[in-house]
């Protein structure tokens, strides 16, 4: 195993040399050529991208990142934004607690730190929504701190490089120590991004391009086993299935009845159609008798949506109503402007099941 300091330094040199030539150009990144011309990373851009990239692909994040910067160019702009506008802009990225914490973090940085992010892992972790990984990434990439940055791509690279047999998540402490041992003092941010890029483009989950990898001569998984079997993972538990219902009401002006969810809990603060009280731990009512108000409801099928810890199946009902019939709190939103609302994907699925062309313009 690569305990030797010289071997570690050689591996790091090879990786950074590869990164200088093959880095990805990303809208939030200061690339090596940009850095040579004097550009420095913007902590706001690094933080925003890292929060968005949690559980989300680079391809999906690009458009959202650019949209957020156009709406709120600085951390102070985001801090001053209306929370509902932030949720609307976030809609579709999923994991909506991130959006709530994004707003809280912006307010903390603007209000308590003069608009400047703390430049240490400890200071960053004191901010809302920033955990170990995000703090390490910001510290390394934005402030050039020597931090062990460990995301899914890096876990895959380091587990294969050292053929780490311990399954995740128990292997994380060893992985973090291995990554820190390789991280150089002079370019820790580039090293972190190089590991991410290597995992995303070469050391991929399936069919890794080992012949192109800068670590190929020292990779223990390549030498002794099948790299695709790393990282080792504990057996997954089957996700429980939860049941519920969604009620899509349409009035005579072609508007849909919407309401806002409670600010706390799953999908907190997001927009929804009326439904039943399902949660990650219990089912909601599924029958037509759970209707939110009297109308001629018709069953129009069911949709399924997978959350992190459970699968949800919603029976979808539709009714054409007069606005005066509802008598409930909420608002009527024209179908043409539904895509501008803070609707999570599960609610878009329910609406589309009842109104097949509701988001046609958005998909085209």
């Amino acid at each position: 195993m690569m305990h030797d300091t010289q071997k570690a330094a050689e591996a790091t040199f090879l990786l950074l040399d590869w990164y200088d030539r093959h880095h990805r150009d990303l809208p939030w990144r200061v690339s090596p050529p940009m850095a040579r011309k004097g550009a420095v990373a913007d902590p706001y851009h690094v933080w925003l991208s890292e929060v968005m990239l949690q559980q989300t692909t680079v391809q999906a994040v690009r458009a959202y990142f650019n949209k957020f910067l156009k709406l709120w160019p600085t951390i102070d702009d985001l801090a001053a934004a209306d929370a509902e506008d932030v949720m609307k802009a976030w809609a579709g990225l999923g994991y909506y607690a991130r959006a709530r914490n994004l707003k809280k973090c912006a307010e903390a940085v603007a209000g308590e730190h003069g608009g400047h992010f703390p430049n240490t892992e400890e200071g960053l972790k004191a901010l809302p929504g920033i955990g170990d990984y995000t703090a390490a990434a910001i510290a390394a990439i934005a402030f050039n701190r020597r931090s062990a940055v460990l995301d899914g791509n890096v876990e895959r690279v380091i587990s294969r490089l050292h053929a780490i047999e311990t399954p995740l998540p128990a292997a994380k402490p060893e992985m973090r120590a291995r990554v820190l041992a390789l991280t150089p003092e002079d370019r820790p941010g580039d090293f972190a991004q190089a590991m991410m890029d290597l995992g995303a483009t070469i050391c991929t989950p399936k069919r890794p391009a080992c012949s192109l990898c800068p670590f190929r001569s020292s990779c223990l998984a390549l030498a002794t086993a099948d790299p695709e079997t790393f990282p080792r993972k504990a057996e997954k538990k089957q996700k429980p299935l939860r049941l519920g219902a969604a009620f899509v009401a349409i009035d005579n002006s072609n508007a849909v009845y919407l309401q806002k969810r409670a600010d706390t809990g799953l999908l907190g603060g997001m927009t929804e159609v009326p439904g039943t009280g399902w949660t990650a731990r219990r089912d909601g009512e599924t029958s037509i008798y759970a209707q939110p108000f009297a109308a001629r409801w018709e069953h129009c099928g069911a949709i399924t949506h997978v959350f992190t810890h459970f699968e949800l199946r919603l029976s979808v009902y539709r009714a054409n109503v007069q606005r005066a019939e509802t008598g409930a709190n909420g608002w009527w939103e024209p179908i043409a402007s539904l895509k501008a609302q803070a609707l999570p994907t599960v609610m878009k699925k329910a609406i589309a099941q009842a109104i097949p062309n509701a988001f046609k313009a958005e998909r085209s």
Side-chain angles (χ1 to χ4, degrees), residues 134-183:
T134 306
I138 297 171
I141 299 169
F143 299 111
N144 231 27
R145 298 279 189 179
R146 186 172 177 267
S147 302
V149 182
L150 193 70
D151 72 349
N153 284 319
V154 180
E155 288 174 354
R156 188 165 55 256
V157 172
I158 203 70
S159 69
R160 291 172 177 177
L161 181 60
H162 292 283
I164 296 174
E165 291 291 343
T166 306
L168 285 168
K172 283 182 181 285
E174 180 182 353
M175 290 180 176
R176 189 170 287 109
R178 297 283 192 183
V179 170
L180 186 61
L182 287 174
T183 303

Side-chain angles (χ1 to χ4, degrees), residues 11-306:
T12 299
F13 172 82
L14 290 172
L15 177 66
L16 287 172
D17 180 64
W18 173 86
Y19 179 70
D20 286 341
R21 291 178 286 114
H22 300 293
H23 60 272
R24 292 179 293 175
D25 288 319
L26 302 173
W28 48 83
R29 173 179 288 178
V30 172
S31 66
M34 293 167 66
R36 286 194 290 271
K37 293 179 181 179
V40 295
D42 185 324
Y44 174 51
H45 294 184
V46 175
W47 163 74
L48 182 60
S49 66
E50 289 298 337
V51 174
M52 288 183 168
L53 285 164
Q54 293 168 19
Q55 306 293 328
T56 312
T57 65
V58 166
Q59 183 177 359
V61 165
R62 286 177 186 266
Y64 282 89
F65 176 83
N66 290 329
K67 176 170 65 174
F68 265 70
L69 282 192
K70 185 176 180 180
L71 291 169
W72 305 293
T74 70
I75 190 75
D76 294 310
D77 295 325
L78 182 58
D82 183 88
E84 182 67 16
D85 290 337
V86 175
M87 297 302 284
K88 287 180 181 179
W90 188 274
L93 264 181
Y95 301 90
Y96 295 97
R98 291 183 297 166
R100 297 194 295 274
N101 283 328
L102 190 83
K103 182 70 167 67
K104 292 176 183 176
C105 185
E107 291 170 349
V109 172
E112 301 170 19
H113 298 275
H116 300 286
F117 280 87
N119 63 9
T120 65
E121 286 188 66
E122 293 73 20
L124 289 161
K125 283 192 283 188
L127 295 171
I130 295 185
D132 290 343
Y133 163 73
T134 306
I138 297 171
I141 299 169
F143 299 111
N144 231 27
R145 298 279 189 179
R146 186 172 177 267
S147 302
V149 182
L150 193 70
D151 72 349
N153 284 319
V154 180
E155 288 174 354
R156 188 165 55 256
V157 172
I158 203 70
S159 69
R160 291 172 177 177
L161 181 60
H162 292 283
I164 296 174
E165 291 291 343
T166 306
L168 285 168
K172 283 182 181 285
E174 180 182 353
M175 290 180 176
R176 189 170 287 109
R178 297 283 192 183
V179 170
L180 186 61
L182 287 174
T183 303
E185 292 284 354
D186 57 341
R187 295 179 65 188
D190 281 350
F191 174 83
Q193 293 175 107
M195 289 285 279
M196 295 176 192
D197 280 13
L198 187 67
T201 63
I202 299 295
C203 195
T204 50
K206 300 295 182 183
R207 300 179 66 183
C210 297
S211 63
L212 302 177
C213 181
F215 288 151
R216 62 187 176 276
S217 63
S218 52
C219 178
L220 290 182
L222 179 61
T224 63
D226 180 0
E228 282 192 24
T229 64
F230 293 90
R232 308 296 201 207
K233 295 180 180 179
E235 187 175 345
K236 286 186 177 180
K237 295 181 180 178
Q238 186 173 359
K239 292 183 179 182
L241 175 65
R242 296 290 175 247
L243 304 176
F247 294 86
V248 182
I250 308 163
D251 77 353
N252 52 10
S253 70
N254 224 25
V256 176
Y257 183 73
L258 301 177
Q259 59 191 27
K260 183 181 177 183
R261 291 178 64 88
D263 288 332
T264 58
L266 185 65
L267 306 179
M270 300 299 290
T271 300
E272 66 174 0
V273 294
T276 55
W278 54 267
T279 70
R281 294 180 175 83
R282 61 181 173 86
D283 294 337
E285 291 291 331
T286 60
S287 75
I288 199 170
Y289 301 109
Q291 59 190 269
F293 43 79
R296 291 188 175 182
W297 295 99
E298 297 180 353
H299 185 255
C300 53
I303 61 101
T304 300
H305 187 74
V306 179

